[in-house]
Amino acid sequence: MTSLSAAREQGKGLDNPKALYGGSRNRRVSVRDLALAKERGERWPMLTAYDAMTASVFDEAGIPVLLVGDSMGNCHLGYESTVPVTLDEMTMLAAAVVRGTSRALVVGDLTFGSYQEGPVQALRSATRLVKEAGVGAVKLEGGERSLAATALIVESGIPVMAHLGLTPQSVNTLGHRVQGRSEEAAQQLVRDAKAAQDAGAFAVVLELVPAEVAAEVTRSLHIPVVGIGAGPDTDAQVLVWTDMAGLTGGKVPRFTKQYLDLRRSLGDAARAYAEEVVGGAFPAEEHTFH
Ligand code: KIV
């Protein structure tokens, strides 16, 4: 396998028409498709992706929305958190994900420091992700504090996904605790979500909040709510792909489900390769030119 197009040819393609989530086989999923899915009561999956090859696998599997999350900090770039990720890094990897896909809506995260100064900086960063990486939408963290930025970006024609609850860019103030547990905090979350919707956000991500609160937010909004660690009653779910596929080392959060043991499989493959090189079994005659 030498190229992405070769990988695509080998892939199974989108063979389940129900996996179109209101979109079409011939074009990218749009924010309108996701709005219609909510109207129809159809749930949909979202995954993160940080490179072209992996993104092409998820695209072929029919995942309608791929998030180039700043979780790339922990899962791809070797940082301790999402905080150090730069807009340059995001732009480069988001462009790779866009190149690797033909159908998914690709959402790029606005990185820490690329929108907190105010709406104009936020619009400049969002515009860069759209023009240079080709993403179809951006995501930013925060409810009320990010409303003006959301409104300006949406007004300029770029769809915005809001991220509420546990917002990893605030790890230094929030830690990794479940958010919205008290009655007051839950009501604030509902208010933040409604405000994001009123500012024009096309969807809201709710991270690490009690299932009952997520269900209430989902009922209160006419835009889709995407849950992660937010129970089963949201319109969509998102997982970090390295958690979902079992590549992440060490402890993973309780809310993720591991569908594969990729870390073990890759390690086994690497050990088998090493043994064959050391023992002289690789390369064999079929891998050799004369
Ligand atoms: O960066 C990311 O992967 C995210 C998801 C956890 C929603 O923001």
Side-chain angles (χ1 to χ4, degrees):
M1 188 65 52
T2 52
S3 72
L4 193 58
S5 48
R8 275 213 188 107
E9 290 211 343
Q10 234 198 17
K12 286 206 188 78
L14 191 60
D15 43 20
N16 174 10
K18 281 197 179 143
L20 290 170
Y21 306 102
S24 137
R25 210 174 278 271
N26 307 317
R27 63 164 174 79
R28 283 195 190 267
V29 172
S30 67
V31 295
R32 189 171 150 66
D33 293 323
L34 303 177
L36 292 174
K38 171 126 185 173
E39 274 176 27
R40 285 194 292 263
E42 288 171 10
R43 288 156 55 87
W44 44 273
M46 168 166 141
L47 279 174
T48 64
Y50 317 113
D51 69 278
M53 194 74 80
T54 314
S56 76
V57 173
F58 299 153
D59 200 43
E60 283 163 8
I63 302 296
V65 185
L66 291 179
L67 170 67
V68 191
D70 57 3
S71 51
M72 69 171 62
N74 319 60
C75 305
H76 194 75
L77 297 173
Y79 297 137
E80 287 291 316
S81 75
T82 63
V83 171
V85 178
T86 65
L87 195 61
D88 284 349
E89 289 165 334
M90 175 59 65
T91 304
M92 189 178 79
L93 300 194
V97 169
V98 171
R99 284 194 293 272
T101 53
S102 57
R103 211 192 135 259
L105 171 68
V106 178
V107 181
D109 255 344
L110 291 188
T111 53
F112 182 64
S114 75
Y115 63 101
Q116 282 84 355
E117 282 173 29
V120 172
Q121 188 206 22
L123 176 59
R124 196 179 308 120
S125 302
T127 305
R128 182 166 175 215
L129 280 185
V130 171
K131 284 179 87 104
E132 291 181 32
V135 301
V138 298
K139 176 165 82 58
L140 51 73
E141 295 186 1
E144 277 173 357
R145 67 183 156 100
S146 298
L147 291 185
T150 301
L152 184 62
I153 298 170
V154 172
E155 225 172 80
S156 308
I158 301 172
V160 172
M161 180 179 265
H163 186 153
L164 304 172
L166 183 91
T167 45
Q169 291 175 8
S170 306
V171 65
N172 292 325
T173 45
L174 294 181
H176 282 111
R177 280 193 311 275
V178 176
Q179 303 294 302
R181 274 219 154 117
S182 69
E183 184 55 33
E184 197 191 326
Q187 288 315 318
Q188 182 60 45
L189 208 50
V190 175
R191 276 196 299 276
D192 277 345
K194 281 188 176 162
Q197 173 178 272
D198 292 345
F202 75 92
V204 169
V205 169
L206 279 186
E207 180 165 355
L208 211 54
V209 303
E212 297 71 18
V213 178
E216 190 186 336
V217 173
T218 305
R219 275 192 304 273
S220 312
L221 298 193
H222 59 77
I223 58 174
V225 174
V226 186
I228 175 164
D233 295 323
T234 54
D235 303 299
Q237 295 286 329
V238 57
L239 282 180
V240 168
W241 91 259
T242 52
D243 294 344
M244 178 281 293
L247 182 59
T248 308
K251 199 166 171 277
V252 291
R254 177 160 82 88
F255 60 74
T256 73
K257 180 168 175 183
Q258 195 179 312
Y259 289 84
L260 181 69
D261 196 349
L262 188 55
R263 194 169 184 88
R264 178 186 296 256
S265 307
L266 266 182
D268 288 348
R271 277 183 288 275
Y273 164 66
E275 265 174 37
E276 291 201 353
V277 169
V278 172
F282 179 82
E285 184 55 29
E286 68 265 31
H287 311 117
T288 305
F289 304 95
H290 295 287

